[in-house]
Amino acid sequence: MRNAFGLMLASVVAAVAIAGVWFWTSSPRADVAPPQTVAARKAEPLPALAKAKDDVEVTASLSKPAPAPAPVPQPAKSTCANPDALGVSRTVIIDTTGGPGFGFLQYKQFDFLGDKEVVLTFDDGPWPTTPTVLKALADECTKAVFFPIGLHTTYHPDILKQVAAAGHTIGAHTWSHADLHSKKMTEQAGKDEIEKGFSAVKMAINANPSPFFRFPGLAHTQPTLEYLGSRNISMFSVDIDSLDFKSSSADQVINTVMTKLDKQGKGIILMHDLQKHTAQALPTILRRLKAGGYKVVEMKAKAPVETLPEYDALLVKDLKVPAVSARPLSSVVQTVSQ
């Protein structure tokens, strides 16, 4: 009887306990949020394992090399129609600080040309013969340095624009081709010739020219040398003088240039683009250079010369023309019948 009573009591206790557990788990608690629908449930943090996996993937992606940047578009290089052209073997950039001189006839400090290398230079333009010179250079896809006379640029600004458009280097050769070594030439007058020449070139091409200068007759003076140095303008002399201004024919120009060049083996060649015989001789000279294994070096300045405002203004006043001639001759004067 006692055993039966004990079993009954144990069953009652178990039932009460089960009921209590059911009541505890089924009743709402203050510290437990009510269940939410999937739509209302906020995003939960990733489990530790998933987060670790993401970290590994992020780290792996960072450790991979970044894709190469897209290449920057480069301007298309001009093509040469002549497969056997003389061309340009190399281009040198000149830092004109302090006014370095080139051309061993007078300035022997900077010997930058190698064997069989030449620099083509032309003085005294622009002139009606200059386009013929430009065509010969273009046919051989080569470049030169031009030293125009300021006064001539006022006669033929469109021709000097052609020189600039063809990509040649343009310096200056004084305003009026005056002899700066003359006893009658004062220091101020020499300075005026130099600066007015550069301003005239600027007016013609609507841009500052290169700080390259050649003395008329190669006649420099110590004051003018010092002045050009203070303006950071480089001085040019010569190695091979064509003497084309004395020549009576194109053949004579060719023979003078090639005979001297074959003897010296390299150098800066002086010619004049206003000489008819030079314009006629140039195609043959360029072909002879090619056949002889000579190579053309193009000279450019690191930075253009800054013309002086007072000379720009003086030129405008003297010539009574606009400071910048934006309109070419062809847009002002047109032939309608011929």
Side-chain angles (χ1 to χ4, degrees):
M1 182 69 179
R2 184 179 296 174
N3 291 338
F5 179 80
L7 290 172
M8 183 180 298
L9 181 61
S11 297
V12 172
V13 172
V16 172
I18 291 171
V21 171
W22 176 86
F23 177 80
W24 177 259
T25 57
S26 300
S27 301
R29 294 169 51 190
D31 58 341
V32 177
Q36 297 175 326
T37 63
V38 174
R41 188 176 303 160
K42 292 183 180 179
E44 298 176 354
L46 290 172
L49 181 60
K51 186 175 186 304
K53 180 182 177 183
D54 279 4
D55 288 344
V56 171
E57 291 177 351
V58 171
T59 302
S61 66
L62 291 175
S63 64
K64 292 179 182 178
V72 178
Q74 298 295 328
K77 293 184 178 180
S78 58
T79 57
C80 181
N82 181 0
D84 189 41
L86 175 61
V88 172
S89 65
R90 66 186 177 109
T91 300
V92 297
I93 302 297
I94 306 301
D95 183 345
T96 61
T97 303
F102 299 97
F104 263 50
L105 182 63
Q106 293 165 294
Y107 314 121
K108 298 176 171 58
Q109 186 177 2
F110 299 104
D111 185 11
F112 70 97
L113 292 177
D115 187 42
K116 294 266 184 177
E117 287 190 331
V118 300
V119 175
L120 304 172
T121 67
F122 295 91
D123 289 7
D124 293 359
W127 209 247
T129 48
T130 303
T132 304
V133 170
L134 291 176
K135 183 181 184 307
L137 295 171
D139 288 345
E140 291 294 334
C141 305
T142 195
K143 301 297 181 185
V145 182
F146 286 79
F147 295 95
I149 295 172
L151 192 58
H152 288 181
T153 70
T154 67
Y155 301 157
H156 307 289
D158 278 1
I159 294 178
L160 194 61
K161 284 183 175 70
Q162 294 177 36
V163 178
H168 299 290
T169 299
I170 302 177
H173 195 43
T174 70
W175 163 249
S176 67
H177 205 265
D179 179 4
L180 301 190
H181 195 268
S182 170
K183 293 181 180 179
K184 297 180 181 180
M185 182 69 61
T186 65
E187 287 189 29
Q188 182 60 48
K191 174 183 175 181
D192 294 344
E193 277 284 333
I194 292 170
E195 296 294 352
K196 198 173 177 182
F198 277 109
S199 290
V201 173
K202 176 184 178 180
M203 177 180 288
I205 64 175
N206 297 335
N208 283 320
S210 295
F212 292 172
F213 179 82
R214 183 176 270 152
F215 288 92
L218 306 178
H220 62 216
T221 65
Q222 192 58 36
T224 51
L225 290 175
E226 292 174 357
Y227 179 73
L228 290 170
S230 71
R231 291 278 282 123
N232 297 322
I233 296 173
S234 185
M235 299 157 285
F236 277 70
S237 184
V238 61
D239 297 307
I240 311 295
D241 190 347
S242 68
L243 299 176
D244 52 359
F245 62 96
K246 295 181 179 180
S247 299
S248 59
S249 67
D251 287 341
Q252 189 175 354
V253 178
I254 296 167
N255 292 334
T256 299
V257 170
M258 296 311 302
T259 299
K260 290 182 178 182
L261 185 56
D262 288 340
K263 181 178 180 180
Q264 295 192 33
K266 65 177 184 179
I268 296 174
I269 303 174
L270 166 61
M271 294 175 278
H272 297 80
D273 52 314
L274 89 167
Q275 294 293 334
K276 178 181 67 174
H277 295 318
T278 298
Q280 295 169 344
L282 189 58
T284 301
I285 290 175
L286 298 179
R287 293 315 300 165
R288 291 276 295 272
L289 291 176
K290 173 70 174 180
Y294 291 99
K295 298 177 180 179
V296 173
V297 175
E298 181 182 16
M299 295 184 72
K300 293 185 175 183
K302 184 178 180 180
V305 67
E306 292 291 337
T307 60
L308 300 181
E310 58 266 34
Y311 286 94
D312 293 343
L314 178 64
L315 200 62
V316 172
K317 179 181 178 181
D318 289 349
L319 298 178
K320 297 180 175 59
V321 297
V324 176
S325 179
R327 297 178 63 191
L329 175 63
S330 60
S331 72
V332 179
V333 180
Q334 295 182 342
T335 298
V336 295
S337 63
Q338 190 172 3

